[in-house]
Amino acid sequence: MLWIAVSPDGLELPLAVENTARELAIKMRTTKSNILSKKCRKENGEHCGYKAAVIKE
């Protein structure tokens, strides 16, 4: 499973790709719980500048 942060615009360009939510949180300078919350709520990322998602292999 890969965790990805993408831009909040229509292009959804990848900003970071990591193996775990914790690693993605470190790279995006936030907490693991914040990443998990964004993924579960499917937030649009307007306020923080990115959206979080999971890519299943």
Side-chain angles (χ1 to χ4, degrees):
M1 197 168 13
L2 293 175
W3 289 81
I4 186 168
V6 297
S7 62
D9 57 9
L11 298 175
E12 294 190 344
L13 299 172
L15 302 173
V17 179
E18 296 294 336
N19 291 321
T20 66
R22 182 179 179 273
E23 291 172 359
L24 183 61
I26 291 168
K27 185 162 264 186
M28 300 307 292
R29 297 182 180 167
T30 187
T31 63
K32 177 183 171 184
S33 62
N34 193 8
I35 295 292
L36 295 173
S37 175
K38 287 184 177 306
K39 182 222 166 234
C40 290
R41 294 181 184 177
K42 298 181 181 176
E43 291 184 6
N44 60 12
E46 288 178 1
H47 296 283
C48 66
Y50 67 93
K51 295 192 284 187
V54 176
I55 300 173
K56 296 182 181 179
E57 296 178 30

